[in-house]
Amino acid sequence: MEKIQITLNINDKLCEVMVYHNDTLLEVLRDELDLTGSKESCGEGVCGSCTIHMDGKPVRSCLTLAMEAVGTKIRTVEGLANGDELSDLQQSFIDHGAVQCGFCTSGMLMSADALLKNNPKPDEKTVRKALGGNICRCTGYAKIVEAVAHACNPQDDCPDCKTDSKVRE
Amino acid sequence: MRLPRFEYLEPSDLEGVLNLLATQGDDTKILAGGTDLLVRMKKGLLKPKTLISLKALNELSYINEEDGCIKIGARTPIADIIASDLIQKEAFALFEACEKIGAISIQHYRGTIGGNILQDNRCIHYNQSEFHRSGRQPCHKDGGKICYARDEADRCNSTCQSDGATALMALGASITLAKKGTERVVEIANFYTTDGIMPFAMESSELLTEIVISIQGGKSSYKRLAYRSAIDYPIVCAGVFLSASDTKKDEIEDARIVVGAMGRSPLFLVQESFSLKGKNLNDTEVFKKVADSSMNSASTFAVHNVGSTLEYRCVMVSEMVLQALKGAAQAVVAAKG
């Protein structure tokens, strides 16, 4: 079987790549385009570390064929920041110490980003439900949930949140 | 994990898909969301030569109310069903079941209701990696003649762990199977063979296109037990439909109890369902008796092959049925005011 050429819209850039029919989107992102932010862990849709956005919705890139992604808008973790400026969510992960080994982080960020777009001020239960499909084997869930809940909604009583009043001090 | 090689086809309309299915052999599979199929292919359980993608078939993605029925396109994503007010109002069991499928944030946008109904039966001895399976003789489902779940079994005992199918069977749904030039409607209760290897009574040239739920004025509920609340299959689940008679408010007119994840298909417990007719909606003692009887009936089909111990699953059938009965009864009472 021969490779065929497809065009993918990744992080608002059109990329032409040669793929086999049986290539998953994750393999194309990592091996062909060097976008290694999305990780392969379980490879069967259980862990969530390969999560990306297709047309704004979080999906597993390890269970999506590259051929199926043609014509959709793909956003990976590399596309979250605006140039060198981190997004509020990414900054919040750093501030709250929500990154341990970091392997699950890109998937967590993508799932959380999709949640925050619909609901900028989620409560803890909503965050836990939205991240239900992502596994962190360092088990640092408390920090992650806090980072997501406070990303667009900084709390004065949270020592890790950089609220405007604290910055002024 | 790499996928085995296959040819990917993307027909632009339903006719194109049916034409391809008619001409291709058994080595062809339909790719909707891929959340079940691609996992099985990665594990080497399936090696189809061709995959027909339903990506372009937006015509199969809809939820409509027509002639007293809810019609759902087979390619409708799980997320759309959860978001539908119509489903929440008239088919609450399906809403509850869909909410539990996979993970809320991720698989719901790709996973489809048709794919959930047609997800293959599972078994802890079969759904393993190629390496794991290479160390022993193949089982019935793998093309061999051994069953690791039940000694001396002459056929496959894999378990149907579909949330959607259990809820839909409780709701008395039927499904439309299309083939080139023709289509047929089958009640979901009659859709299953008793064969774990090929659990569905459908031909390889047929495509599931629509799910029809008639609105019967009753209420439904679905309860499930699983290890994880996200991305896990149920180890026991139960769907219940109850309706009250028009003349006597508290009397059950029609009941359907379905137990899932205990056999090769969801189990419609006819005797238990029938015994509820004419009983009082608030009579929890009757519900307890029916739940215990459901446990006895469902237990005869179960084998130890979905992770938890068989004894625990059997006991929990009673609990799941009881919870679902109470949920449905409360909803009926609340609706009647």
Coordinates of all heavy atoms in Angstrom, one line a residue, chain B residues 249-320:
Chain B
K249 N -54.2 5.7 39.1 CA -52.9 6.4 39.1 C -51.7 5.6 39.6 O -50.6 5.7 39.0 CB -53.0 7.7 39.9 CG -53.3 8.9 39.0 CD -52.8 10.1 39.6 CE -53.8 10.9 40.4 NZ -53.4 12.1 41.0
D250 N -52.0 4.8 40.6 CA -50.8 4.1 41.3 C -50.6 2.7 40.7 O -49.7 2.0 41.3 CB -51.0 4.1 42.8 CG -51.0 5.5 43.4 OD1 -50.4 6.3 42.7 OD2 -51.4 5.6 44.5
E251 N -51.3 2.3 39.7 CA -51.2 1.0 39.3 C -50.3 0.9 38.1 O -50.4 1.6 37.1 CB -52.6 0.4 39.0 CG -52.6 -1.1 38.9 CD -54.0 -1.6 38.6 OE1 -54.9 -1.4 39.5 OE2 -54.2 -2.1 37.5
I252 N -49.4 -0.1 38.1 CA -48.5 -0.3 37.0 C -49.2 -1.0 35.8 O -49.8 -2.0 36.0 CB -47.2 -1.2 37.4 CG1 -46.4 -0.4 38.5 CG2 -46.4 -1.4 36.2 CD1 -45.3 -1.2 39.1
E253 N -49.2 -0.4 34.7 CA -49.9 -1.0 33.5 C -48.9 -1.8 32.7 O -49.2 -2.9 32.3 CB -50.5 0.1 32.6 CG -51.3 -0.4 31.5 CD -52.0 0.7 30.8 OE1 -51.2 1.5 30.2 OE2 -53.2 0.8 30.7
D254 N -47.7 -1.2 32.5 CA -46.7 -1.9 31.6 C -45.4 -1.8 32.3 O -45.0 -0.8 32.8 CB -46.7 -1.3 30.2 CG -46.1 -2.2 29.2 OD1 -45.8 -3.4 29.6 OD2 -45.8 -1.8 28.1
A255 N -44.6 -2.9 32.2 CA -43.3 -2.9 32.8 C -42.3 -3.7 31.9 O -42.7 -4.7 31.3 CB -43.3 -3.5 34.2
R256 N -41.1 -3.2 31.8 CA -40.0 -3.9 31.1 C -38.7 -3.8 31.9 O -38.3 -2.8 32.2 CB -39.8 -3.4 29.7 CG -40.7 -3.9 28.6 CD -40.2 -3.6 27.3 NE -40.2 -2.2 27.0 CZ -41.2 -1.5 26.6 NH1 -42.4 -2.1 26.4 NH2 -41.1 -0.2 26.4
I257 N -38.2 -5.0 32.3 CA -36.9 -5.0 33.0 C -35.9 -5.7 32.1 O -36.1 -6.8 31.6 CB -37.1 -5.8 34.3 CG1 -38.2 -5.2 35.2 CG2 -35.8 -5.9 35.1 CD1 -38.5 -6.1 36.4
V258 N -34.8 -5.0 31.9 CA -33.7 -5.6 31.1 C -32.4 -5.5 31.9 O -32.1 -4.5 32.5 CB -33.5 -4.8 29.8 CG1 -32.4 -5.3 29.0 CG2 -34.8 -4.8 29.0
V259 N -31.7 -6.6 32.0 CA -30.4 -6.7 32.7 C -29.3 -6.8 31.7 O -29.4 -7.7 30.8 CB -30.4 -7.9 33.7 CG1 -29.0 -8.0 34.3 CG2 -31.4 -7.6 34.8
G260 N -28.3 -6.0 31.8 CA -27.2 -6.0 30.8 C -25.9 -6.5 31.5 O -25.8 -6.6 32.7
A261 N -24.9 -6.8 30.6 CA -23.6 -7.2 31.1 C -23.6 -8.6 31.8 O -22.7 -8.8 32.6 CB -22.9 -6.1 31.9
M262 N -24.7 -9.3 31.6 CA -24.7 -10.6 32.3 C -24.8 -11.8 31.3 O -24.7 -12.9 31.7 CB -25.9 -10.7 33.2 CG -25.8 -9.9 34.5 SD -24.6 -10.4 35.6 CE -25.3 -11.7 36.5
G263 N -25.0 -11.5 30.1 CA -25.1 -12.6 29.1 C -24.6 -12.2 27.7 O -24.0 -11.1 27.6
R264 N -24.9 -13.0 26.7 CA -24.4 -12.7 25.4 C -25.2 -11.5 24.8 O -24.8 -11.0 23.7 CB -24.5 -13.9 24.5 CG -23.7 -15.1 25.0 CD -23.9 -16.3 24.1 NE -23.3 -17.5 24.7 CZ -23.9 -18.3 25.4 NH1 -25.2 -18.2 25.6 NH2 -23.3 -19.4 25.9
S265 N -26.3 -11.2 25.3 CA -27.1 -10.0 24.9 C -27.7 -9.4 26.1 O -27.7 -10.1 27.2 CB -28.2 -10.4 23.9 OG -29.1 -11.2 24.6
P266 N -28.2 -8.2 26.1 CA -29.0 -7.7 27.2 C -30.2 -8.7 27.4 O -30.8 -9.2 26.5 CB -29.5 -6.3 26.7 CG -28.6 -5.9 25.7 CD -28.2 -7.2 25.0
L267 N -30.5 -8.9 28.7 CA -31.6 -10.0 29.0 C -32.9 -9.3 29.3 O -33.0 -8.6 30.3 CB -31.1 -10.8 30.1 CG -29.7 -11.5 30.0 CD1 -29.2 -12.0 31.3 CD2 -29.7 -12.6 28.9
F268 N -33.9 -9.5 28.5 CA -35.2 -9.0 28.7 C -35.9 -10.0 29.6 O -36.2 -11.1 29.2 CB -36.0 -8.8 27.4 CG -37.4 -8.3 27.6 CD1 -37.8 -7.6 28.7 CD2 -38.3 -8.6 26.6 CE1 -39.1 -7.2 28.8 CE2 -39.6 -8.1 26.7 CZ -40.0 -7.4 27.8
L269 N -36.2 -9.6 30.9 CA -36.8 -10.6 31.8 C -38.3 -10.6 31.7 O -39.0 -9.8 32.4 CB -36.3 -10.3 33.3 CG -34.8 -10.3 33.4 CD1 -34.4 -9.9 34.8 CD2 -34.1 -11.6 33.0
V270 N -38.8 -11.4 30.9 CA -40.3 -11.4 30.6 C -41.1 -11.7 31.8 O -42.1 -11.0 32.1 CB -40.6 -12.4 29.5 CG1 -42.1 -12.4 29.1 CG2 -39.7 -12.1 28.2
Q271 N -40.7 -12.8 32.5 CA -41.6 -13.2 33.7 C -41.6 -12.1 34.8 O -42.7 -11.8 35.3 CB -40.9 -14.5 34.2 CG -41.9 -15.3 35.0 CD -41.2 -16.5 35.6 OE1 -40.2 -17.0 35.1 NE2 -41.7 -16.9 36.8
E272 N -40.5 -11.5 35.1 CA -40.4 -10.5 36.1 C -41.2 -9.2 35.7 O -41.9 -8.6 36.5 CB -39.0 -10.1 36.5 CG -38.2 -11.1 37.3 CD -37.8 -12.4 36.6 OE1 -37.9 -12.4 35.3 OE2 -37.4 -13.4 37.2
S273 N -41.0 -8.9 34.4 CA -41.7 -7.7 33.9 C -43.2 -7.9 34.0 O -43.9 -7.0 34.4 CB -41.3 -7.5 32.4 OG -39.9 -7.4 32.3
F274 N -43.7 -9.1 33.6 CA -45.1 -9.4 33.6 C -45.7 -9.4 35.0 O -46.8 -8.9 35.2 CB -45.4 -10.7 32.9 CG -46.8 -11.0 32.6 CD1 -47.4 -10.3 31.6 CD2 -47.5 -11.9 33.4 CE1 -48.8 -10.5 31.3 CE2 -48.9 -12.1 33.1 CZ -49.5 -11.4 32.1
S275 N -44.9 -9.9 35.9 CA -45.4 -10.0 37.3 C -45.6 -8.6 38.0 O -46.3 -8.5 39.0 CB -44.4 -10.8 38.2 OG -43.2 -10.0 38.4
L276 N -45.1 -7.5 37.4 CA -45.3 -6.2 37.9 C -46.6 -5.6 37.5 O -47.0 -4.6 38.1 CB -44.1 -5.3 37.5 CG -42.9 -5.3 38.4 CD1 -41.8 -4.4 37.7 CD2 -43.2 -4.8 39.8
K277 N -47.2 -6.1 36.5 CA -48.5 -5.5 36.0 C -49.6 -5.5 37.1 O -49.8 -6.6 37.8 CB -49.0 -6.3 34.8 CG -48.2 -5.9 33.6 CD -48.8 -6.5 32.3 CE -47.8 -6.2 31.2 NZ -48.1 -6.9 30.0
G278 N -50.2 -4.4 37.3 CA -51.3 -4.3 38.3 C -50.8 -4.0 39.7 O -51.6 -3.8 40.6
K279 N -49.5 -4.0 39.9 CA -48.9 -3.8 41.2 C -48.9 -2.3 41.5 O -48.9 -1.4 40.6 CB -47.5 -4.4 41.4 CG -47.5 -5.9 41.2 CD -48.1 -6.5 42.4 CE -47.9 -8.0 42.5 NZ -48.2 -8.8 41.3
N280 N -48.8 -1.9 42.8 CA -48.7 -0.5 43.2 C -47.3 0.1 42.9 O -46.3 -0.6 43.2 CB -49.1 -0.4 44.7 CG -49.3 1.0 45.0 OD1 -48.5 1.9 44.9 ND2 -50.5 1.3 45.6
L281 N -47.3 1.3 42.4 CA -46.1 2.0 42.1 C -45.2 2.3 43.3 O -44.0 2.5 43.2 CB -46.4 3.3 41.4 CG -46.5 3.2 39.9 CD1 -47.1 4.5 39.3 CD2 -45.2 3.0 39.2
N282 N -45.9 2.4 44.5 CA -45.1 2.8 45.7 C -44.7 1.6 46.5 O -44.2 1.7 47.6 CB -45.9 3.7 46.5 CG -46.3 5.0 45.7 OD1 -45.4 5.6 45.1 ND2 -47.5 5.3 45.7
D283 N -45.0 0.4 46.1 CA -44.8 -0.8 46.9 C -43.4 -1.4 46.7 O -43.1 -2.2 45.8 CB -45.8 -1.9 46.4 CG -45.9 -3.0 47.4 OD1 -45.1 -3.1 48.3 OD2 -46.9 -3.8 47.3
T284 N -42.5 -0.9 47.6 CA -41.1 -1.3 47.5 C -40.9 -2.7 47.8 O -39.9 -3.3 47.3 CB -40.2 -0.4 48.4 OG1 -40.8 -0.2 49.6 CG2 -39.9 0.9 47.7
E285 N -41.7 -3.3 48.6 CA -41.6 -4.8 48.9 C -41.7 -5.6 47.7 O -41.0 -6.6 47.4 CB -42.7 -5.2 50.0 CG -42.4 -4.7 51.4 CD -41.0 -5.1 51.8 OE1 -40.7 -6.3 51.7 OE2 -40.2 -4.2 52.3
V286 N -42.7 -5.2 46.8 CA -42.8 -6.0 45.5 C -41.6 -5.8 44.7 O -41.1 -6.7 44.1 CB -44.1 -5.4 44.8 CG1 -44.2 -6.0 43.4 CG2 -45.3 -5.8 45.5
F287 N -41.1 -4.5 44.6 CA -39.9 -4.3 43.9 C -38.7 -5.1 44.3 O -38.0 -5.7 43.5 CB -39.5 -2.8 44.0 CG -40.4 -1.8 43.2 CD1 -40.3 -0.5 43.3 CD2 -41.4 -2.3 42.4 CE1 -41.1 0.4 42.7 CE2 -42.2 -1.5 41.7 CZ -42.1 -0.1 41.8
K288 N -38.6 -5.3 45.6 CA -37.5 -6.1 46.2 C -37.6 -7.5 45.7 O -36.7 -8.2 45.4 CB -37.5 -6.0 47.7 CG -36.7 -4.8 48.2 CD -36.7 -4.8 49.7 CE -36.2 -3.4 50.2 NZ -36.6 -3.1 51.5
K289 N -38.9 -8.1 45.8 CA -39.1 -9.5 45.4 C -38.8 -9.6 43.9 O -38.1 -10.6 43.5 CB -40.6 -9.8 45.6 CG -40.8 -10.4 47.0 CD -42.2 -10.9 47.1 CE -42.7 -11.0 48.5 NZ -44.1 -10.9 48.7
V290 N -39.2 -8.7 43.1 CA -39.0 -8.8 41.6 C -37.5 -8.6 41.4 O -36.9 -9.4 40.5 CB -39.7 -7.6 40.9 CG1 -39.3 -7.5 39.5 CG2 -41.2 -7.9 41.0
A291 N -36.8 -7.8 42.1 CA -35.3 -7.6 41.9 C -34.6 -8.9 42.3 O -33.7 -9.3 41.6 CB -34.8 -6.5 42.8
D292 N -35.0 -9.6 43.4 CA -34.4 -10.9 43.7 C -34.6 -11.9 42.7 O -33.8 -12.7 42.3 CB -34.9 -11.4 45.1 CG -34.3 -10.5 46.2 OD1 -33.3 -9.8 46.0 OD2 -34.9 -10.5 47.3
S293 N -35.9 -11.9 42.2 CA -36.2 -12.9 41.1 C -35.4 -12.6 39.9 O -35.0 -13.5 39.2 CB -37.7 -12.8 40.9 OG -38.0 -13.4 39.7
S294 N -35.2 -11.3 39.6 CA -34.4 -10.9 38.4 C -32.9 -11.5 38.6 O -32.3 -11.9 37.6 CB -34.3 -9.4 38.3 OG -35.6 -8.9 38.1
M295 N -32.4 -11.4 39.8 CA -31.1 -11.9 40.1 C -31.0 -13.4 39.7 O -30.1 -13.8 39.1 CB -30.7 -11.6 41.5 CG -29.4 -12.2 42.0 SD -29.1 -11.9 43.7 CE -30.2 -13.0 44.5
N296 N -32.0 -14.1 40.2 CA -32.0 -15.6 39.9 C -32.1 -15.9 38.4 O -31.4 -16.7 37.9 CB -33.2 -16.2 40.6 CG -33.0 -16.2 42.1 OD1 -31.9 -16.0 42.6 ND2 -34.1 -16.2 42.9
S297 N -32.9 -15.1 37.7 CA -33.1 -15.4 36.3 C -31.8 -15.0 35.5 O -31.3 -15.8 34.7 CB -34.2 -14.6 35.7 OG -35.4 -14.9 36.4
A298 N -31.2 -13.8 35.8 CA -30.1 -13.4 35.1 C -28.8 -14.2 35.4 O -28.0 -14.4 34.5 CB -29.8 -11.9 35.4
S299 N -28.7 -14.7 36.6 CA -27.5 -15.4 37.0 C -27.3 -16.6 36.2 O -26.1 -17.0 36.1 CB -27.6 -15.7 38.5 OG -27.8 -14.6 39.3
T300 N -28.3 -17.2 35.7 CA -28.1 -18.5 35.0 C -27.3 -18.3 33.7 O -26.7 -19.2 33.2 CB -29.5 -19.1 34.6 OG1 -30.2 -18.1 33.9 CG2 -30.2 -19.6 35.8
F301 N -27.3 -17.0 33.2 CA -26.6 -16.8 31.9 C -25.2 -16.3 32.1 O -24.4 -16.4 31.2 CB -27.3 -15.6 31.2 CG -28.7 -16.0 30.7 CD1 -29.8 -15.8 31.5 CD2 -28.9 -16.7 29.5 CE1 -31.1 -16.1 31.1 CE2 -30.1 -17.0 29.1 CZ -31.2 -16.8 29.9
A302 N -24.8 -15.9 33.3 CA -23.6 -15.2 33.5 C -22.4 -16.2 33.7 O -22.6 -17.3 34.2 CB -23.6 -14.3 34.7
V303 N -21.3 -15.8 33.2 CA -20.0 -16.5 33.5 C -19.0 -15.6 34.0 O -19.2 -14.3 33.9 CB -19.5 -17.3 32.2 CG1 -20.4 -18.3 31.7 CG2 -19.2 -16.2 31.1
H304 N -17.9 -16.1 34.6 CA -17.0 -15.2 35.2 C -16.0 -14.7 34.1 O -14.9 -15.3 33.9 CB -16.2 -16.1 36.3 CG -15.1 -15.3 36.9 ND1 -15.2 -14.0 37.3 CD2 -13.9 -15.7 37.3 CE1 -14.1 -13.6 37.9 NE2 -13.3 -14.6 37.9
N305 N -16.4 -13.6 33.5 CA -15.5 -13.2 32.4 C -15.4 -11.6 32.2 O -15.0 -11.2 31.2 CB -15.8 -13.8 31.0 CG -17.2 -13.4 30.5 OD1 -18.0 -12.8 31.3 ND2 -17.5 -13.7 29.3
V306 N -15.9 -10.9 33.1 CA -15.8 -9.4 33.0 C -15.0 -8.8 34.2 O -15.3 -7.6 34.5 CB -17.1 -8.7 32.7 CG1 -17.7 -9.1 31.4 CG2 -18.1 -8.8 33.8
G307 N -14.2 -9.5 34.8 CA -13.3 -8.8 35.8 C -13.8 -9.1 37.2 O -13.0 -9.7 38.0
S308 N -15.0 -8.7 37.6 CA -15.4 -8.9 39.0 C -15.8 -10.3 39.2 O -16.0 -11.1 38.3 CB -16.5 -8.0 39.3 OG -16.9 -8.1 40.7
T309 N -15.9 -10.7 40.5 CA -16.3 -12.1 40.8 C -17.8 -12.3 40.4 O -18.6 -11.4 40.5 CB -16.1 -12.5 42.2 OG1 -17.0 -11.7 43.0 CG2 -14.7 -12.3 42.7
L310 N -18.1 -13.5 40.0 CA -19.4 -13.8 39.5 C -20.4 -13.6 40.6 O -21.5 -13.1 40.4 CB -19.4 -15.2 39.0 CG -20.7 -15.7 38.3 CD1 -21.0 -14.8 37.1 CD2 -20.5 -17.1 37.8
E311 N -20.0 -14.0 41.8 CA -21.0 -14.0 43.0 C -21.4 -12.5 43.2 O -22.5 -12.2 43.4 CB -20.3 -14.5 44.3 CG -20.1 -16.0 44.3 CD -18.8 -16.4 43.4 OE1 -18.1 -15.5 43.1 OE2 -18.7 -17.6 43.1
Y312 N -20.4 -11.6 43.2 CA -20.7 -10.2 43.4 C -21.6 -9.6 42.4 O -22.5 -8.9 42.7 CB -19.3 -9.4 43.5 CG -19.5 -8.0 43.7 CD1 -20.1 -7.4 44.8 CD2 -19.0 -7.1 42.7 CE1 -20.3 -6.1 45.0 CE2 -19.1 -5.7 42.9 CZ -19.7 -5.2 44.0 OH -19.9 -3.9 44.2
R313 N -21.3 -10.0 41.1 CA -22.1 -9.4 40.0 C -23.5 -9.9 40.2 O -24.5 -9.2 40.0 CB -21.5 -9.9 38.7 CG -20.4 -9.0 38.2 CD -19.6 -9.7 37.1 NE -20.5 -9.8 35.9 CZ -20.3 -10.8 35.0 NH1 -19.4 -11.7 35.2 NH2 -21.1 -10.8 33.9
C314 N -23.7 -11.2 40.5 CA -25.1 -11.7 40.6 C -25.8 -11.0 41.7 O -27.0 -10.6 41.5 CB -25.0 -13.2 40.9 SG -24.4 -14.2 39.5
V315 N -25.2 -10.8 42.9 CA -25.9 -10.1 44.0 C -26.2 -8.7 43.5 O -27.3 -8.2 43.8 CB -25.0 -10.1 45.2 CG1 -25.6 -9.2 46.3 CG2 -24.8 -11.5 45.7
M316 N -25.3 -8.1 42.8 CA -25.6 -6.7 42.4 C -26.6 -6.5 41.3 O -27.2 -5.4 41.1 CB -24.3 -6.0 41.9 CG -23.3 -5.8 43.1 SD -24.0 -5.0 44.5 CE -24.1 -3.3 44.0
V317 N -27.0 -7.6 40.6 CA -28.1 -7.5 39.7 C -29.4 -7.1 40.4 O -30.1 -6.1 40.0 CB -28.4 -8.9 39.0 CG1 -29.7 -8.9 38.2 CG2 -27.3 -9.3 38.1
S318 N -29.6 -7.7 41.6 CA -30.7 -7.4 42.4 C -30.7 -5.9 42.8 O -31.8 -5.2 42.7 CB -30.7 -8.3 43.6 OG -31.5 -7.8 44.6
E319 N -29.6 -5.4 43.2 CA -29.5 -4.0 43.6 C -29.7 -3.0 42.4 O -30.4 -2.0 42.6 CB -28.1 -3.8 44.2 CG -27.8 -2.4 44.9 CD -28.9 -2.1 45.9 OE1 -29.3 -3.0 46.6 OE2 -29.2 -0.9 46.1
M320 N -29.1 -3.3 41.3 CA -29.3 -2.5 40.1 C -30.7 -2.4 39.7 O -31.3 -1.4 39.3 CB -28.4 -2.9 39.0 CG -26.9 -2.7 39.2 SD -26.4 -1.0 39.5 CE -25.8 -1.1 41.1

